[in-house]
Amino acid sequence: MSDDPRLPRAAQIFVSFVALLRANGFSVAPEQTTSFLAAIELLGPRNLEHIRRAGLATLAPPPERRATYDRLFDIHFRGAEAIEQADGEDEETVRLHEEGRGEDEPPLADEANESGLAAARAEALVERRFAQTAISDPLRRLSREAPSRLPQRRGHRRRRARSGPFADLRRILRDSVRNDGEVLRLGRLRRRQRPRKILFLIDVSGSMKARTEENMRLAHVLMQSAGNVEVFTFGTRLTRVTGALRLKRREQALSAASFLVSDWDGGTRIGDALQAFLAVPRFGGYARGAAVVIVSDGLERGDPAALRDAVAKLSRRAWRLSWLTPLATSPNFTPQTEALIAIQRFVDDLVDGGSSAAVVAHLLSLGRRRAA
């Protein structure tokens, strides 16, 4: 018979939750486990939310892994109920429904589109880690010039100006009172300039794996330089990563995004992704009046008609729609793939997206352009 002390049955579920956190890469010291149990005893929790908060206070999960902590908590304490509700509760990730008949087998994570030349339809759910590298010169240029060179729009509020289409009646009347009713100068007003919304859609499928990491770094710099930016990734799922990229530290932001996105280097279903984006009213509203930039090679395995219809709808909502593809290696680029041929007449720009310098140059040039 063993003399080792055994945990009370009521405490075993809390200690096993700590073990689950450690198994998923969380660093939890023994002292934190003791504090977690003490906090639960002190609070006398009446519901699971009290236990969750006790864990946040004592186990101290990193901010960038808060979503992972919450998901593990729900799985551990709610069990099958949390798993069944997972897809319905996560409104930031839209899973694309497979319309095939099952002929495509999911590729292995290490073998899927290794060359980056083929586009797959099957879904491969993998986790990606971003290396810690110094920021490149094109991204420094974007950070430095973005506030003054990104596109703007006319706001509804007006400001004083030397010339403008509106008369500043308040200023005219005030000056006339000072000058015994004489109007010596007509004050003018013009609309304020406001930053235009930017919608940045990044293809993270296997055929774009060589550019994925740098595109995510570029999106983070863009997010930090301009406040009115929305960022989505798509492959076999559509994922909003705006909240993760708002974190100021680049390593933390990319780490948080890596846990949100689960279809890195997987299949390519651009038409389904854009259709899913437009089907969510809140997402579709982000495109209205925005500069929409899609970074993708356009290697679509699905029906080009679905992609054509989605791009047509998106172009009607957007201020300007740009498609940046690594295939456009020259200014005289002519689309050869069926998908790019189908969307060519709906996009305002079909230009090079094979390097950070090319993407940054196009983003900074949008401020001088007008909708076609």
Side-chain angles (χ1 to χ4, degrees):
M1 185 176 179
S2 175
D3 295 332
D4 295 338
R6 299 180 61 88
L7 285 171
R9 181 177 299 178
Q12 290 178 4
I13 188 172
F14 304 115
V15 176
S16 60
F17 172 59
V18 175
L20 178 64
L21 292 178
R22 291 197 183 102
N24 284 272
F26 288 82
S27 298
V28 182
E31 295 81 5
Q32 290 177 285
T33 305
T34 305
S35 300
F36 179 44
L37 296 174
I40 293 174
E41 181 182 6
L42 179 64
L43 291 174
R46 297 182 179 179
N47 52 51
L48 288 179
E49 186 59 29
H50 292 172
I51 300 175
R52 186 196 303 270
R53 293 181 180 178
L56 288 173
T58 56
L59 303 178
E64 65 272 15
R65 300 201 64 187
R66 171 66 185 275
T68 305
Y69 169 88
D70 290 338
R71 179 58 57 86
L72 292 174
F73 182 92
D74 290 337
I75 291 174
H76 183 75
F77 288 100
R78 298 182 187 274
E81 177 186 355
I83 297 175
E84 292 173 358
Q85 296 178 354
D87 291 339
E89 291 177 353
D90 188 2
E91 60 178 7
E92 304 297 343
T93 302
V94 180
R95 182 170 181 174
L96 310 183
H97 296 289
E98 179 63 74
E99 297 178 354
R101 298 181 180 179
E103 292 90 344
D104 298 324
E105 293 184 0
L108 297 177
D110 295 334
E111 298 175 356
N113 300 321
E114 188 63 30
S115 65
L117 300 177
R121 182 182 179 86
E123 181 178 39
L125 302 184
V126 298
E127 187 175 297
R128 190 183 184 105
R129 299 288 184 178
F130 292 95
Q132 296 185 7
T133 58
I135 189 171
S136 61
D137 290 338
L139 299 190
R140 288 195 186 94
R141 181 192 175 195
L142 177 62
S143 178
R144 182 176 62 253
E145 300 182 15
S148 60
R149 295 190 56 183
L150 287 178
Q152 296 184 335
R153 64 173 179 85
R154 289 185 302 173
H156 296 289
R157 293 181 178 272
R158 301 172 183 177
R159 64 177 180 84
R160 292 181 181 179
R162 292 184 177 180
S163 62
F166 307 104
D168 188 354
L169 296 179
R170 180 178 298 177
R171 185 179 180 185
I172 293 173
L173 292 175
R174 185 169 56 246
D175 290 346
S176 67
V177 170
R178 295 174 180 173
N179 295 288
D180 296 330
E182 295 288 338
V183 178
L184 303 180
R185 185 177 61 178
L186 292 177
R188 308 303 297 178
L189 294 173
R190 68 170 56 247
R191 288 185 177 180
R192 295 179 181 270
Q193 292 294 311
R194 306 280 296 178
R196 184 172 293 277
K197 292 186 295 184
I198 297 178
L199 176 61
F200 202 56
L201 298 165
I202 304 174
D203 187 343
V204 296
S205 63
S207 58
M208 287 288 292
K209 65 186 301 183
R211 288 290 309 153
T212 296
E213 186 166 338
E214 191 65 15
N215 286 337
M216 292 298 294
R217 295 180 187 278
L218 190 151
H220 178 256
V221 173
L222 181 63
M223 178 70 68
Q224 299 300 315
S225 304
N228 208 3
V229 179
E230 287 289 336
V231 183
F232 288 77
T233 65
F234 64 89
T236 55
R237 298 187 177 196
L238 176 72
T239 309
R240 181 174 180 260
V241 294
T242 305
L245 295 182
R246 283 199 183 107
L247 296 174
K248 189 171 185 179
R249 291 187 57 187
R250 185 173 68 255
E251 293 78 10
Q252 289 183 346
L254 295 178
S255 177
S258 70
F259 283 100
L260 289 176
V261 181
S262 57
D263 56 338
W264 302 109
D265 308 335
T268 306
R269 295 156 66 184
I270 309 173
D272 291 343
L274 296 182
Q275 292 281 6
F277 175 86
L278 294 169
V280 180
R282 182 165 63 94
F283 291 174
Y286 295 146
R288 196 171 303 279
V292 180
V293 179
I294 302 176
V295 183
S296 172
D297 51 14
L299 298 179
E300 173 67 295
R301 282 287 302 274
D303 184 5
L307 176 60
R308 182 193 63 233
D309 294 343
V311 173
K313 293 178 183 178
L314 197 58
S315 67
R316 289 194 291 268
R317 298 190 184 191
W319 167 76
R320 191 174 188 90
L321 176 58
S322 302
W323 193 291
L324 280 60
T325 171
L327 303 179
T329 55
S330 67
N332 299 323
F333 168 71
T334 301
Q336 300 296 325
T337 64
E338 190 175 3
L340 291 181
I341 293 174
I343 67 168
Q344 184 178 14
R345 64 192 180 100
F346 298 110
V347 299
D348 299 296
D349 307 295
L350 186 58
V351 295
D352 182 22
S355 66
S356 295
V359 177
V360 169
H362 179 75
L363 287 172
L364 295 180
S365 70
L366 290 176
R368 303 193 304 268
R369 306 193 183 199
R370 295 293 181 267

Short mmCIF file of all heavy atoms in Angstrom, two decimals, residues 17-18 20-22 24 26 28 36 40 48-77 259:
data_model
loop_
_atom_site.label_atom_id
_atom_site.label_comp_id
_atom_site.label_asym_id
_atom_site.label_seq_id
_atom_site.Cartn_x
_atom_site.Cartn_y
_atom_site.Cartn_z
N PHE A 17 -6.22 20.20 -15.21
CA PHE A 17 -6.27 21.32 -16.15
C PHE A 17 -4.91 21.97 -16.29
O PHE A 17 -4.48 22.33 -17.39
CB PHE A 17 -7.30 22.35 -15.68
CG PHE A 17 -7.30 23.63 -16.47
CD1 PHE A 17 -7.54 23.61 -17.84
CD2 PHE A 17 -7.04 24.84 -15.86
CE1 PHE A 17 -7.54 24.78 -18.58
CE2 PHE A 17 -7.03 26.01 -16.59
CZ PHE A 17 -7.28 25.99 -17.96
N VAL A 18 -4.18 22.09 -15.17
CA VAL A 18 -2.82 22.63 -15.23
C VAL A 18 -1.94 21.71 -16.07
O VAL A 18 -1.10 22.17 -16.87
CB VAL A 18 -2.26 22.80 -13.81
CG1 VAL A 18 -0.80 23.24 -13.87
CG2 VAL A 18 -3.08 23.82 -13.03
N LEU A 20 -2.91 19.88 -18.53
CA LEU A 20 -3.29 20.09 -19.92
C LEU A 20 -2.63 21.34 -20.48
O LEU A 20 -2.17 21.36 -21.63
CB LEU A 20 -4.82 20.21 -20.01
CG LEU A 20 -5.40 20.50 -21.40
CD1 LEU A 20 -5.11 19.34 -22.35
CD2 LEU A 20 -6.90 20.75 -21.31
N LEU A 21 -2.54 22.40 -19.67
CA LEU A 21 -1.86 23.62 -20.12
C LEU A 21 -0.39 23.35 -20.41
O LEU A 21 0.16 23.79 -21.43
CB LEU A 21 -2.01 24.72 -19.08
CG LEU A 21 -3.40 25.31 -18.85
CD1 LEU A 21 -3.36 26.35 -17.74
CD2 LEU A 21 -3.94 25.94 -20.13
N ARG A 22 0.26 22.61 -19.50
CA ARG A 22 1.68 22.30 -19.71
C ARG A 22 1.88 21.47 -20.99
O ARG A 22 2.84 21.68 -21.73
CB ARG A 22 2.24 21.54 -18.51
CG ARG A 22 2.36 22.37 -17.24
CD ARG A 22 3.29 21.68 -16.25
NE ARG A 22 3.37 22.40 -14.99
CZ ARG A 22 2.73 22.04 -13.88
NH1 ARG A 22 1.96 20.95 -13.89
NH2 ARG A 22 2.85 22.75 -12.77
N ASN A 24 0.32 21.68 -23.63
CA ASN A 24 0.14 22.53 -24.80
C ASN A 24 1.07 23.73 -24.81
O ASN A 24 0.78 24.75 -25.46
CB ASN A 24 -1.31 23.00 -24.88
CG ASN A 24 -2.25 21.93 -25.35
OD1 ASN A 24 -2.46 21.75 -26.55
ND2 ASN A 24 -2.81 21.17 -24.41
N PHE A 26 2.26 25.76 -22.25
CA PHE A 26 2.18 26.83 -21.25
C PHE A 26 3.18 26.53 -20.12
O PHE A 26 3.30 25.38 -19.68
CB PHE A 26 0.78 26.95 -20.67
CG PHE A 26 -0.22 27.53 -21.62
CD1 PHE A 26 -0.84 26.74 -22.58
CD2 PHE A 26 -0.54 28.88 -21.57
CE1 PHE A 26 -1.77 27.27 -23.47
CE2 PHE A 26 -1.47 29.43 -22.45
CZ PHE A 26 -2.08 28.62 -23.40
N VAL A 28 3.88 26.69 -16.42
CA VAL A 28 3.16 26.85 -15.15
C VAL A 28 4.04 26.23 -14.05
O VAL A 28 4.33 25.03 -14.07
CB VAL A 28 1.78 26.16 -15.18
CG1 VAL A 28 1.05 26.40 -13.86
CG2 VAL A 28 0.94 26.70 -16.33
N PHE A 36 -3.45 28.63 -7.67
CA PHE A 36 -4.70 28.41 -8.39
C PHE A 36 -5.72 27.71 -7.50
O PHE A 36 -6.89 28.12 -7.40
CB PHE A 36 -4.40 27.59 -9.64
CG PHE A 36 -5.59 27.25 -10.48
CD1 PHE A 36 -6.57 28.20 -10.77
CD2 PHE A 36 -5.76 25.98 -11.00
CE1 PHE A 36 -7.68 27.89 -11.55
CE2 PHE A 36 -6.85 25.66 -11.77
CZ PHE A 36 -7.82 26.61 -12.05
N ILE A 40 -9.29 29.31 -5.89
CA ILE A 40 -10.60 28.68 -6.05
C ILE A 40 -11.26 28.47 -4.69
O ILE A 40 -12.45 28.72 -4.51
CB ILE A 40 -10.44 27.34 -6.81
CG1 ILE A 40 -10.00 27.61 -8.24
CG2 ILE A 40 -11.75 26.55 -6.78
CD1 ILE A 40 -9.67 26.37 -9.01
N LEU A 48 -18.37 28.55 -13.85
CA LEU A 48 -17.09 28.30 -14.51
C LEU A 48 -16.34 29.59 -14.81
O LEU A 48 -15.11 29.58 -14.90
CB LEU A 48 -17.34 27.53 -15.82
CG LEU A 48 -17.75 26.06 -15.66
CD1 LEU A 48 -17.99 25.43 -17.03
CD2 LEU A 48 -16.66 25.28 -14.92
N GLU A 49 -17.06 30.69 -14.96
CA GLU A 49 -16.38 31.94 -15.25
C GLU A 49 -15.49 32.37 -14.08
O GLU A 49 -14.41 32.94 -14.28
CB GLU A 49 -17.41 33.03 -15.57
CG GLU A 49 -16.80 34.34 -16.03
CD GLU A 49 -15.96 34.19 -17.29
OE1 GLU A 49 -16.24 33.28 -18.10
OE2 GLU A 49 -15.01 34.99 -17.45
N HIS A 50 -15.92 32.09 -12.85
CA HIS A 50 -15.08 32.40 -11.69
C HIS A 50 -13.79 31.57 -11.72
O HIS A 50 -12.72 32.07 -11.39
CB HIS A 50 -15.85 32.12 -10.40
CG HIS A 50 -17.00 33.05 -10.19
ND1 HIS A 50 -17.93 32.87 -9.18
CD2 HIS A 50 -17.38 34.16 -10.85
CE1 HIS A 50 -18.81 33.85 -9.22
NE2 HIS A 50 -18.51 34.64 -10.24
N ILE A 51 -13.91 30.31 -12.11
CA ILE A 51 -12.71 29.45 -12.20
C ILE A 51 -11.79 29.95 -13.31
O ILE A 51 -10.56 29.96 -13.16
CB ILE A 51 -13.13 27.99 -12.44
CG1 ILE A 51 -14.01 27.50 -11.30
CG2 ILE A 51 -11.92 27.10 -12.61
CD1 ILE A 51 -14.57 26.11 -11.50
N ARG A 52 -12.37 30.36 -14.42
CA ARG A 52 -11.57 30.88 -15.52
C ARG A 52 -10.75 32.09 -15.08
O ARG A 52 -9.56 32.21 -15.38
CB ARG A 52 -12.46 31.25 -16.71
CG ARG A 52 -11.69 31.65 -17.96
CD ARG A 52 -12.62 32.37 -18.94
NE ARG A 52 -13.76 31.55 -19.29
CZ ARG A 52 -13.79 30.71 -20.32
NH1 ARG A 52 -12.72 30.57 -21.07
NH2 ARG A 52 -14.88 30.01 -20.59
N ARG A 53 -11.41 32.99 -14.36
CA ARG A 53 -10.72 34.21 -13.92
C ARG A 53 -9.66 33.89 -12.87
O ARG A 53 -8.60 34.53 -12.83
CB ARG A 53 -11.74 35.19 -13.36
CG ARG A 53 -12.68 35.74 -14.42
CD ARG A 53 -13.67 36.72 -13.84
NE ARG A 53 -14.58 37.24 -14.86
CZ ARG A 53 -15.56 38.09 -14.62
NH1 ARG A 53 -15.77 38.53 -13.38
NH2 ARG A 53 -16.33 38.52 -15.61
N ALA A 54 -9.93 32.92 -12.02
CA ALA A 54 -8.91 32.52 -11.04
C ALA A 54 -7.67 31.98 -11.76
O ALA A 54 -6.53 32.25 -11.36
CB ALA A 54 -9.48 31.47 -10.10
N GLY A 55 -7.89 31.22 -12.83
CA GLY A 55 -6.77 30.72 -13.61
C GLY A 55 -6.01 31.82 -14.30
O GLY A 55 -4.78 31.80 -14.36
N LEU A 56 -6.71 32.81 -14.84
CA LEU A 56 -6.03 33.93 -15.49
C LEU A 56 -5.17 34.70 -14.50
O LEU A 56 -4.08 35.17 -14.84
CB LEU A 56 -7.06 34.86 -16.12
CG LEU A 56 -7.78 34.34 -17.38
CD1 LEU A 56 -8.89 35.31 -17.78
CD2 LEU A 56 -6.80 34.16 -18.52
N ALA A 57 -5.65 34.84 -13.26
CA ALA A 57 -4.93 35.62 -12.27
C ALA A 57 -3.71 34.89 -11.71
O ALA A 57 -2.69 35.51 -11.40
CB ALA A 57 -5.87 36.01 -11.12
N THR A 58 -3.79 33.57 -11.58
CA THR A 58 -2.71 32.82 -10.93
C THR A 58 -1.82 32.07 -11.91
O THR A 58 -0.61 31.99 -11.70
CB THR A 58 -3.32 31.82 -9.94
OG1 THR A 58 -4.25 30.97 -10.63
CG2 THR A 58 -4.05 32.54 -8.82
N LEU A 59 -2.39 31.54 -12.99
CA LEU A 59 -1.58 30.79 -13.95
C LEU A 59 -0.94 31.70 -14.98
O LEU A 59 0.02 31.30 -15.65
CB LEU A 59 -2.45 29.74 -14.64
CG LEU A 59 -3.15 28.75 -13.70
CD1 LEU A 59 -4.02 27.78 -14.49
CD2 LEU A 59 -2.14 27.99 -12.86
N ALA A 60 -1.45 32.91 -15.14
CA ALA A 60 -0.86 33.97 -15.96
C ALA A 60 -0.50 33.52 -17.37
O ALA A 60 0.67 33.54 -17.76
CB ALA A 60 0.38 34.54 -15.25
N PRO A 61 -1.47 33.12 -18.19
CA PRO A 61 -1.14 32.79 -19.58
C PRO A 61 -0.73 34.04 -20.35
O PRO A 61 -1.24 35.14 -20.07
CB PRO A 61 -2.46 32.22 -20.12
CG PRO A 61 -3.51 32.83 -19.27
CD PRO A 61 -2.91 32.97 -17.90
N PRO A 62 0.20 33.95 -21.29
CA PRO A 62 0.61 35.12 -22.07
C PRO A 62 -0.57 35.73 -22.82
O PRO A 62 -1.48 35.00 -23.26
CB PRO A 62 1.66 34.56 -23.04
CG PRO A 62 2.10 33.27 -22.45
CD PRO A 62 0.93 32.73 -21.70
N PRO A 63 -0.60 37.05 -22.97
CA PRO A 63 -1.73 37.68 -23.67
C PRO A 63 -1.95 37.15 -25.07
O PRO A 63 -3.08 37.01 -25.52
CB PRO A 63 -1.35 39.17 -23.67
CG PRO A 63 -0.40 39.32 -22.54
CD PRO A 63 0.35 38.03 -22.44
N GLU A 64 -0.85 36.86 -25.79
CA GLU A 64 -1.01 36.40 -27.16
C GLU A 64 -1.56 34.98 -27.25
O GLU A 64 -1.97 34.54 -28.32
CB GLU A 64 0.33 36.48 -27.91
CG GLU A 64 1.43 35.55 -27.39
CD GLU A 64 2.24 36.19 -26.28
OE1 GLU A 64 1.80 37.22 -25.73
OE2 GLU A 64 3.32 35.67 -25.96
N ARG A 65 -1.59 34.25 -26.09
CA ARG A 65 -2.12 32.89 -26.09
C ARG A 65 -3.43 32.80 -25.29
O ARG A 65 -3.83 31.71 -24.89
CB ARG A 65 -1.09 31.91 -25.53
CG ARG A 65 0.20 31.86 -26.32
CD ARG A 65 0.96 30.57 -26.05
NE ARG A 65 0.20 29.42 -26.51
CZ ARG A 65 0.57 28.16 -26.27
NH1 ARG A 65 1.68 27.92 -25.57
NH2 ARG A 65 -0.15 27.15 -26.71
N ARG A 66 -4.06 33.95 -25.08
CA ARG A 66 -5.31 33.96 -24.32
C ARG A 66 -6.39 33.12 -25.01
O ARG A 66 -7.14 32.40 -24.35
CB ARG A 66 -5.77 35.41 -24.14
CG ARG A 66 -7.17 35.56 -23.55
CD ARG A 66 -7.24 35.07 -22.12
NE ARG A 66 -8.61 35.12 -21.63
CZ ARG A 66 -9.17 36.20 -21.10
NH1 ARG A 66 -8.48 37.33 -20.98
NH2 ARG A 66 -10.42 36.16 -20.68
N ALA A 67 -6.48 33.23 -26.34
CA ALA A 67 -7.50 32.46 -27.06
C ALA A 67 -7.28 30.96 -26.89
O ALA A 67 -8.23 30.19 -26.72
CB ALA A 67 -7.49 32.83 -28.55
N THR A 68 -6.01 30.53 -26.91
CA THR A 68 -5.70 29.11 -26.71
C THR A 68 -6.06 28.67 -25.30
O THR A 68 -6.60 27.57 -25.09
CB THR A 68 -4.21 28.85 -26.99
OG1 THR A 68 -3.88 29.34 -28.29
CG2 THR A 68 -3.88 27.37 -26.91
N TYR A 69 -5.77 29.52 -24.32
CA TYR A 69 -6.12 29.21 -22.93
C TYR A 69 -7.64 29.03 -22.78
O TYR A 69 -8.10 28.06 -22.17
CB TYR A 69 -5.62 30.32 -22.00
CG TYR A 69 -6.15 30.24 -20.59
CD1 TYR A 69 -5.48 29.50 -19.63
CD2 TYR A 69 -7.32 30.91 -20.21
CE1 TYR A 69 -5.97 29.41 -18.32
CE2 TYR A 69 -7.82 30.82 -18.92
CZ TYR A 69 -7.13 30.08 -17.98
OH TYR A 69 -7.62 29.99 -16.70
N ASP A 70 -8.40 29.95 -23.37
CA ASP A 70 -9.86 29.86 -23.27
C ASP A 70 -10.39 28.59 -23.93
O ASP A 70 -11.31 27.94 -23.42
CB ASP A 70 -10.51 31.09 -23.89
CG ASP A 70 -10.28 32.34 -23.07
OD1 ASP A 70 -10.02 32.21 -21.86
OD2 ASP A 70 -10.36 33.45 -23.64
N ARG A 71 -9.82 28.23 -25.09
CA ARG A 71 -10.28 27.03 -25.78
C ARG A 71 -9.96 25.77 -24.95
O ARG A 71 -10.80 24.87 -24.82
CB ARG A 71 -9.64 26.95 -27.16
CG ARG A 71 -10.04 25.72 -27.97
CD ARG A 71 -11.54 25.66 -28.17
NE ARG A 71 -12.07 26.84 -28.80
CZ ARG A 71 -12.12 27.02 -30.11
NH1 ARG A 71 -11.66 26.10 -30.92
NH2 ARG A 71 -12.63 28.12 -30.62
N LEU A 72 -8.75 25.70 -24.38
CA LEU A 72 -8.40 24.54 -23.55
C LEU A 72 -9.27 24.48 -22.30
O LEU A 72 -9.67 23.39 -21.86
CB LEU A 72 -6.92 24.61 -23.17
CG LEU A 72 -5.91 24.42 -24.30
CD1 LEU A 72 -4.50 24.66 -23.79
CD2 LEU A 72 -6.03 23.04 -24.91
N PHE A 73 -9.58 25.63 -21.72
CA PHE A 73 -10.44 25.67 -20.54
C PHE A 73 -11.82 25.11 -20.88
O PHE A 73 -12.37 24.29 -20.13
CB PHE A 73 -10.55 27.11 -20.03
CG PHE A 73 -11.38 27.25 -18.78
CD1 PHE A 73 -10.79 27.21 -17.53
CD2 PHE A 73 -12.76 27.43 -18.85
CE1 PHE A 73 -11.55 27.35 -16.37
CE2 PHE A 73 -13.53 27.56 -17.71
CZ PHE A 73 -12.93 27.51 -16.47
N ASP A 74 -12.38 25.56 -22.00
CA ASP A 74 -13.72 25.08 -22.38
C ASP A 74 -13.71 23.58 -22.67
O ASP A 74 -14.64 22.87 -22.28
CB ASP A 74 -14.21 25.85 -23.60
CG ASP A 74 -14.55 27.30 -23.27
OD1 ASP A 74 -14.81 27.58 -22.08
OD2 ASP A 74 -14.52 28.15 -24.18
N ILE A 75 -12.68 23.12 -23.36
CA ILE A 75 -12.62 21.70 -23.67
C ILE A 75 -12.50 20.87 -22.40
O ILE A 75 -13.12 19.82 -22.25
CB ILE A 75 -11.44 21.42 -24.63
CG1 ILE A 75 -11.73 22.03 -26.01
CG2 ILE A 75 -11.17 19.92 -24.76
CD1 ILE A 75 -10.58 21.92 -26.97
N HIS A 76 -11.70 21.34 -21.43
CA HIS A 76 -11.46 20.57 -20.22
C HIS A 76 -12.68 20.56 -19.30
O HIS A 76 -13.07 19.51 -18.77
CB HIS A 76 -10.25 21.15 -19.48
CG HIS A 76 -9.89 20.37 -18.24
ND1 HIS A 76 -9.25 19.15 -18.28
CD2 HIS A 76 -10.09 20.63 -16.92
CE1 HIS A 76 -9.05 18.70 -17.05
NE2 HIS A 76 -9.56 19.59 -16.20
N PHE A 77 -13.29 21.74 -19.11
CA PHE A 77 -14.37 21.84 -18.13
C PHE A 77 -15.77 21.64 -18.74
O PHE A 77 -16.70 21.28 -18.03
CB PHE A 77 -14.32 23.19 -17.41
CG PHE A 77 -13.17 23.31 -16.44
CD1 PHE A 77 -12.01 23.98 -16.79
CD2 PHE A 77 -13.25 22.72 -15.18
CE1 PHE A 77 -10.96 24.10 -15.89
CE2 PHE A 77 -12.20 22.83 -14.28
CZ PHE A 77 -11.05 23.51 -14.64
N PHE A 259 -1.71 31.25 -34.01
CA PHE A 259 -2.64 30.39 -33.29
C PHE A 259 -4.08 30.56 -33.81
O PHE A 259 -4.89 29.65 -33.68
CB PHE A 259 -2.60 30.67 -31.79
CG PHE A 259 -1.40 30.08 -31.11
CD1 PHE A 259 -0.31 30.88 -30.82
CD2 PHE A 259 -1.33 28.74 -30.79
CE1 PHE A 259 0.81 30.35 -30.20
CE2 PHE A 259 -0.21 28.20 -30.17
CZ PHE A 259 0.87 29.01 -29.88
#
